[in-house]
Amino acid sequence: MTSMTDVHPIDPRNVQLTEDGKLRHFLSIGGLSKEILEEILDTADSFVNIGEKSVKKVPLLRGKTVVNLFFENSTRTRSTFELAAQRLSADVLNLDISKSATAKGETLMDTLQNLEAMGSDMFVIRHADSGAQHFIASQVTPDVAIINAGDGRHAHPTQAMLDMYTIRKHKGDFSKLKVAIVGDILHSRVARSQVQALNILGAEEVRLIGPKTLLPDNLAELGAKLYTRMEDGLKDVDVVIMLRLQKERMDGALLPSEGEFYRLYGLTSEKLNYARPDAIVMHPGPINRGVEIESVVADGPQSLILNQVSYGIAIRMAVMSMTVSGQMQQKNQQDQNNEEASA
Ligand code: CP
């Protein structure tokens, strides 16, 4: 797989924050402070009930144009970003990549620059190349915000934040929580972002469970404990996050068979008994029933899988409104600096 990070190393700290440390792009969890993550969660709290109101809109992005650019398939992320932008009163353009000039050979940056020339203020981008959004953020004009909706195996930061929101809302203080992430960790941009967010927010313990072939050592370096047996890894955990087997990203034979994977790592009600009795069950979706999770668990009383989807709108509203506010503050600061310089 091509990686823009080979050419353009990722330095999230410099690109995604203003000089005053406010969010101006949202590219990865790495490089963000606990205060910023908590601000995202608190801002989402102020939006979470908007779907129940008769008028499901606030004017925070009125007059702004948001462009959704999804170079990979999506149901949840794309739909909730669109709803989030609409609920913030933005104008939303969804470019259908399969019918766009990308098929005629137009480069990603040329597509971006043409859409920028139409007066777009924010791009929500999903791309197969790790680092694509970081590269774009370093190239766009200062008043355009870039939001990462998933890049290669690298990061899916809004998914991680809606997961953190779900955990905080249903289990409270992170410092008292043991969290297990189960399955295809190797190919998961979600797991990488979740481990970073859980560490920054101070979770008591983060465990990764899966077959050795799907457990990368580099996440252990971030402070996660690795387990190859569900019985050990799920013992006494408060949160179980299941992941999809990403067969589309598997180059070689990393698994004996789906049936064997389900036997060892599929979350059945029997295996869920290893966790605390009040443990919550999560999954970023799409779920593969009978591959990584049993239907009776996915649809059962401990499952928050559909709650995660609902909270995704509030988290995406929070991230969009915070980046626009960061951009405006930075622009005002620059205007002031220019005035002072020319006085
Ligand atoms: N969780 C997630 O990213 O789902 P989609 O691929 O449907 O957006």
Side-chain angles (χ1 to χ4, degrees):
M1 183 185 293
T2 331
S3 172
M4 293 207 183
T5 55
D6 295 341
V7 190
H8 305 281
I10 291 171
D11 183 359
R13 284 162 305 176
N14 296 340
V15 185
Q16 62 184 344
L17 299 177
T18 65
E19 283 165 21
D20 315 344
K22 300 276 179 209
L23 207 58
R24 65 182 290 264
H25 302 292
F26 192 54
L27 306 172
S28 64
I29 301 292
L32 297 182
S33 63
K34 185 175 184 186
E35 287 68 34
I36 292 232
L37 298 196
E38 286 179 341
E39 189 184 345
I40 293 171
L41 298 177
D42 294 343
T43 307
D45 246 343
S46 70
F47 294 132
V48 81
N49 293 324
I50 200 169
E52 291 156 23
K53 300 204 169 138
S54 56
V55 178
K56 299 179 178 56
K57 272 191 194 292
V58 288
L60 291 169
L61 260 65
R62 190 161 56 200
K64 301 285 182 191
T65 301
V66 175
V67 181
N68 275 330
L69 282 179
F70 279 66
F71 292 86
E72 289 186 320
N73 293 348
S74 169
T75 296
R76 282 146 289 273
T77 312
R78 181 175 160 164
S79 309
T80 52
F81 262 117
E82 184 173 351
L83 284 172
Q86 286 171 349
R87 289 183 184 178
L88 290 166
S89 306
D91 296 318
V92 187
L93 174 66
N94 291 303
L95 192 70
D96 182 347
I97 298 296
S98 67
K99 294 193 173 67
S100 76
T102 302
K104 300 179 194 170
E106 186 170 61
T107 67
L108 174 59
M109 276 319 296
D110 282 334
T111 302
L112 254 291
Q113 280 164 359
N114 278 270
L115 291 163
E116 234 184 307
M118 297 174 202
S120 305
D121 299 290
M122 181 182 291
F123 292 95
V124 177
I125 305 172
R126 172 171 285 190
H127 201 279
D129 291 350
S130 298
Q133 292 85 335
H134 284 78
F135 175 64
I136 293 162
S138 69
Q139 303 291 312
V140 291
T141 52
D143 49 357
V144 168
I146 303 296
I147 313 278
N148 184 358
D151 61 325
R153 290 191 204 177
H154 173 244
H156 193 348
T158 57
Q159 177 68 48
M161 289 313 298
L162 74 87
D163 296 333
M164 297 308 112
Y165 186 86
T166 307
I167 293 171
R168 188 175 84 163
K169 195 162 184 71
H170 291 266
K171 300 304 288 182
D173 183 358
F174 284 94
S175 71
K176 297 185 173 68
L177 298 179
K178 293 185 178 70
V179 180
I181 306 170
V182 184
D184 182 2
I185 313 288
L186 179 67
H187 300 101
S188 178
R189 55 192 173 206
V190 174
R192 190 182 167 83
S193 293
Q194 286 168 337
V195 171
Q196 289 175 321
L198 286 163
N199 277 336
I200 293 168
L201 290 166
E204 183 187 339
E205 208 174 303
V206 183
R207 302 179 186 177
L208 302 176
I209 312 173
K212 224 173 170 18
T213 47
L214 297 178
L215 277 181
D217 290 335
N218 61 355
L219 287 183
E221 286 160 20
L222 290 177
K225 293 184 181 173
L226 307 186
Y227 293 84
T228 53
R229 281 164 43 94
M230 290 287 262
E231 190 171 353
D232 304 329
L234 289 186
K235 189 172 169 13
D236 295 333
V237 297
D238 305 277
V239 180
V240 185
I241 304 177
M242 299 305 297
L243 298 174
R244 182 175 69 86
L245 272 185
Q246 302 204 20
K247 283 177 283 184
E248 74 277 18
R249 295 189 204 279
M250 289 187 192
D251 299 330
L254 295 170
L255 287 172
S257 69
E258 264 181 26
E260 186 66 357
F261 178 82
Y262 184 66
R263 188 178 71 76
L264 294 171
Y265 300 102
L267 190 66
T268 56
S269 40
E270 254 177 23
K271 292 198 197 89
L272 185 55
N273 283 332
Y274 299 135
R276 285 176 56 90
D278 60 350
I280 56 172
V281 174
M282 296 166 55
H283 191 310
I287 61 173
N288 289 133
R289 293 167 187 267
V291 177
E292 70 264 354
I293 192 163
E294 187 182 30
S295 278
V296 74
V297 176
D299 304 327
Q302 288 167 267
S303 170
L304 294 175
I305 294 171
L306 294 178
N307 301 64
Q308 289 172 260
V309 178
S310 306
Y311 301 148
I313 301 174
I315 282 290
R316 286 165 178 137
M317 288 176 77
V319 167
M320 289 170 138
S321 57
M322 283 170 64
T323 50
V324 163
S325 158
Q327 296 271 1
M328 278 160 65
Q329 276 182 30
Q330 172 136 314
K331 189 169 184 311
N332 291 342
Q333 185 64 50
Q334 276 168 355
D335 290 348
Q336 199 180 322
N337 292 348
N338 291 344
E339 268 173 36
E340 281 167 14
S342 61

